Amino acid sequence: MSDSEMIRIPAHLQGYPGVAFGGYVAGVLAGQAAAEHVRVDFRRPAPTELPLRLAGTPDGGCALTADETLLAVAVPVGSTGAVAGLPEAPSWAEAEAAAEACRAAPPDGQTDCFGCGLDRTPATGLRQHCGPVPGRELVATAWVPGAELAARDGLLPPELLWGALDCPGNAAGRLLDGRPAGAVTASLRAAVLRPVRAGERLVSYSWLLSSAERKYTVGTAVADADGELRAMAEALWVVPRSAVQGRP
């Protein structure tokens, strides 16, 4: 990338209110890094609708700052192959049933998130409404990207595919590990294997890799309705102390 450029993340691309959606932010930084395999580490929440600076780093990565405050950094990493514990994708029918179960009884703490918000339409969000898959230690959702989210070539922009690898990890922590609302993505390492097209039937799913104190790690993947893998990720999530202290 050039030495630096200014960007502004629109308000509708939020995760928590006023905070830019982490998966999208990670995808933007990964797209600017001079490497095929990238890990994005988050330092502080990135605000929406404010000027932010993207700048290259000496190692070929990319940093996002507000004034002089570091918000996130993309770090080139070596290829590590498949994400740990990568399971076979659920079927479309299993993922559709899991999504319907989520929408019928959503977890508390739901926000107007671009990735998983229940009030988002296919035109305004990714609708990652993950529910548990019976008989398997994973969560999943069936989803179809809206045409309004696609680029002119009909493909979902890579930063939105990174976004689809984010929220399922939150659902895995809540539904498989009993985590409270309010967890945030601390690190996301992803690989886009094949692009996806608006109107395709897709399955996002996530599984727990480790859990200790306020942190947990997950694997997440996106496949098509035939089970062909399109993208995968490994993420570290952190539950803020305030969320833990506020539990009954």
Side-chain angles (χ1 to χ4, degrees), residues 6 8 33 73 93 106 189 233 248:
M6 300 302 294
R8 187 184 300 264
V73 60
R189 174 178 63 86

Side-chain angles (χ1 to χ4, degrees), residues 82-89 136 193 205 207 209 219-222 229 231-233:
V83 172
L86 178 65
E88 181 181 352
R136 301 188 64 183
L193 307 178
Y205 59 107
W207 59 100
L209 294 173
T220 305
V222 174
L229 200 62
M232 58 185 178

Side-chain angles (χ1 to χ4, degrees), residues 131-186:
V133 177
R136 301 188 64 183
E137 287 298 312
L138 53 82
V139 299
T141 187
W143 63 290
V144 178
E148 296 84 354
L149 301 181
R152 289 187 177 182
D153 59 5
L155 298 177
L156 196 68
E159 57 268 27
L160 295 190
L161 191 48
W162 271 69
L165 295 165
D166 190 12
C167 287
N170 186 306
R174 301 200 65 183
L175 299 175
L176 304 179
D177 199 37
R179 297 294 183 154
V184 296
T185 314

Side-chain angles (χ1 to χ4, degrees), residues 8-10 18-20 25 44-52 64-66 71:
R8 187 184 300 264
I9 299 174
V19 176
V25 173
R44 290 176 175 80
T48 58
E49 294 297 347
L50 290 177
L52 306 174
L64 181 69
T65 58
L71 304 177

Side-chain angles (χ1 to χ4, degrees), residues 57-87:
T57 57
D59 61 0
C62 179
L64 181 69
T65 58
D67 296 325
E68 299 300 318
T69 302
L70 179 64
L71 304 177
V73 60
V75 181
V77 295
S79 176
T80 55
V83 172
L86 178 65

Side-chain angles (χ1 to χ4, degrees), residues 110-123:
Q110 188 73 36
T111 67
D112 180 32
C113 174
F114 180 82
C116 63
L118 289 171
D119 57 349
R120 298 285 183 148
T121 69

